[in-house]
Amino acid sequence: MHLDVQVLRDFYYRSALGRAAQKILRAQVCRFWPEAKGQTVVGYGFAVPLLRPYLKDSRRVLALMPSPQGVMPWPAGMANVSVLSEETLWPLETGHVDRLILMHGLETSERPSDLLDEAYRVLGPGGRALFILPNRSGIWARADHTPFGYGRPYSLGQLETQLKRHDFVPEAHVSVLYQPPSTRRFWMKTGPIWEKVGRAVPVTAGGVMLVEASKRHPPSRRKVGKAAKVLNPLEVLAPAGKAKPV
């Protein structure tokens, strides 16, 4: 179940809790990837809150938004880079993406296996993917007033197993959003403290996990359906032969 793009926009850009979550997530993404100079950076789902740091120096930035979710123009005041896309048929050439961020895309997809295959297809040699999903053990996964309360939350083990089945190699992971998903003044004001304490002494699970993965090459399994040969093609589509005299 995908949330509507307007709901996602309002959370991240028009609510105090969403802006706080955006700041924490973006800072962590920049720790993984401080720069992407001359690289192609793609976001899928609703990853636009995290893409802005790469607009200046990257070769290309593209935000793919799934059709059940809808699309909005982004970034504001600049040339649009957002595109409405089919979930498992991205308008990208094979192997041309250097950095790929998936947020609010995998956990809400009805075809997560095909989606991961498509992510594998577009990622180039040496490319990296960052999967951002609600933590099954965290309280944000149970807060349906935030986008992380929708879809299927994952545990770290479940996500890494799923990635390995689709020929991704998990390289690093981290949990963020330790503050409660509350708009009360106390929790908002003490949010940075909870974040520091949660990472130093993980008494409770972070609400969101980020897993960085690389592309295994060559793949350990055959990508079913990507280059399947049609054994019995429809003859009606074949060129017509010469007419035989009667």
Side-chain angles (χ1 to χ4, degrees):
M1 173 185 171
H2 288 276
L3 284 173
D4 186 86
V5 68
Q6 302 299 330
V7 175
L8 293 164
R9 181 202 62 185
D10 290 347
F11 176 75
Y12 282 107
Y13 294 104
R14 297 182 179 179
S15 74
L17 182 62
R19 289 193 295 270
Q22 176 186 163
K23 182 179 180 180
I24 293 169
L25 289 166
R26 185 190 290 179
Q28 184 57 57
V29 170
C30 289
R31 290 190 187 99
F32 276 115
W33 303 335
E35 53 85 27
K37 188 174 182 179
Q39 297 181 334
T40 295
V41 181
V42 173
Y44 175 79
F46 194 79
V48 290
L50 314 179
L51 296 178
R52 184 169 288 276
Y54 305 111
L55 285 172
K56 183 178 179 181
D57 297 324
S58 62
R59 184 170 68 89
R60 183 186 183 191
V61 173
L62 186 65
L64 302 178
M65 299 190 184
S67 52
Q69 168 190 293
V71 68
M72 73 176 197
W74 185 88
M78 299 174 65
N80 178 61
V81 300
S82 64
V83 178
L84 189 67
S85 171
E86 292 292 336
E87 283 192 280
T88 59
L89 191 63
W90 298 355
L92 297 171
E93 294 180 313
T94 298
H96 278 230
V97 176
D98 301 297
R99 296 288 184 267
L100 175 63
I101 301 175
L102 288 89
M103 184 168 78
H104 303 309
L106 181 61
E107 74 273 23
T108 54
S109 175
E110 295 181 359
R111 301 169 62 188
S113 182
D114 292 337
L115 178 58
L116 288 173
D117 278 341
E118 190 69 353
Y120 181 95
R121 179 187 70 80
V122 303
L123 203 63
R128 295 290 179 110
L130 196 57
F131 298 89
I132 303 173
L133 292 106
N135 189 339
R136 186 176 182 180
S137 301
I139 57 176
W140 283 71
R142 295 184 286 276
D144 58 7
H145 60 283
T146 80
F148 294 106
Y150 288 82
R152 297 176 303 275
Y154 285 75
S155 68
L156 178 61
Q158 288 172 333
L159 179 57
E160 289 187 339
T161 298
Q162 184 86 327
L163 294 178
K164 290 175 182 177
R165 287 175 180 169
H166 292 269
D167 292 316
F168 286 99
V169 181
E171 302 285 356
H173 65 86
V174 68
S175 292
V176 296
L177 297 186
Y178 286 90
Q179 72 179 77
S182 171
T183 56
R184 291 186 178 181
R185 185 177 179 182
F186 173 79
W187 297 115
M188 295 294 295
K189 195 171 182 178
T190 59
I193 298 175
W194 285 102
E195 203 66 26
K196 291 180 181 179
V197 172
R199 296 193 192 192
V201 186
V203 177
T204 183
V208 175
M209 57 184 175
L210 297 86
V211 176
E212 184 189 30
S214 60
K215 180 177 180 177
R216 178 182 286 119
H217 188 78
S220 61
R221 65 186 184 87
R222 181 175 178 268
K223 296 294 180 185
V224 179
K226 296 298 180 183
K229 182 179 180 181
V230 180
L231 299 179
N232 297 303
L234 295 174
E235 294 182 1
V236 70
L237 301 178
K242 293 182 178 180
K244 296 181 181 180
V246 178

